[in-house]
Amino acid sequence: MNAYEEYMLGIVKPMREELVNVGFTELVTPDEVADHVQESKGTSLVVINSVCGCAAGLARPAVAAALEAAEHKPDHLVTVFAGQDKEATAQMRSYFEEVLPSSPSIALLKDGQLAYFIPREQIEGFAMEQVRDHLAGVLDQVCAK
């Protein structure tokens, strides 16, 4: 590992932990992503994490708050980190190629199929509470058994 990679690992560590601390599993390799998508039954909330300000100030806090606010929760919480775990992120995005890549973004998969997608354009420029309410509403619709 070169000095730049080591530096970036230290920088993004708290950004990764913010989601892990609320129950997310990081998928850092393409195989981990493929295994999750192919083998997981039910709903998976996927956060495509990022180092940008709208991930820090909006996406990650909104996701944590939406999970608290929603009556219906997803069966699985997973995340990939754009710009850091590039191959894993590309693998995840391959399951919803019909939407343009953006980060941060939030996907909801149901039995491995895209059920809903919130792109960066619906995160950046909105209040955290708006993103939270949007996601909580989606969770209550898609995750209701």
Side-chain angles (χ1 to χ4, degrees):
M1 177 180 313
N2 66 38
Y4 172 78
E5 291 168 334
E6 191 172 325
Y7 174 79
M8 287 307 296
L9 282 176
I11 293 295
V12 302
K13 187 174 188 238
M15 298 173 201
R16 292 176 180 273
E17 290 173 350
E18 197 170 343
L19 290 173
V20 170
N21 289 340
V22 295
F24 280 79
T25 299
E26 282 192 291
L27 305 176
V28 297
T29 69
D31 287 342
E32 289 175 346
V33 171
D35 289 346
H36 175 80
V37 173
Q38 293 166 8
E39 297 174 12
S40 296
K41 300 296 178 217
T43 53
S44 293
L45 180 61
V46 179
V47 175
I48 298 180
N49 203 354
S50 171
V51 298
C52 72
C54 62
L58 297 171
R60 292 191 299 266
V63 166
L67 287 169
E68 287 183 25
E71 182 178 340
H72 300 284
K73 313 287 191 236
D75 300 305
H76 311 279
L77 304 172
V78 296
T79 182
V80 294
F81 208 112
Q84 300 300 306
D85 303 320
K86 294 175 185 173
E87 294 85 8
T89 302
Q91 181 69 35
M92 183 60 78
R93 287 177 171 154
S94 77
Y95 294 104
F96 37 87
E97 290 182 327
E98 63 271 25
V99 297
L100 292 174
S102 65
S103 57
S105 57
I106 304 164
L108 193 59
L109 305 179
K110 192 164 193 173
D111 295 326
Q113 301 296 311
L114 183 64
Y116 200 86
F117 189 80
I118 301 174
R120 177 187 181 117
E121 292 77 25
Q122 294 178 15
I123 298 169
E124 186 177 36
F126 290 84
M128 188 283 291
E129 294 80 8
Q130 290 174 297
V131 179
R132 174 201 63 206
D133 294 347
H134 181 179
L135 180 56
V138 169
L139 292 175
D140 283 339
Q141 288 179 351
V142 176
C143 298
K145 305 273 183 216

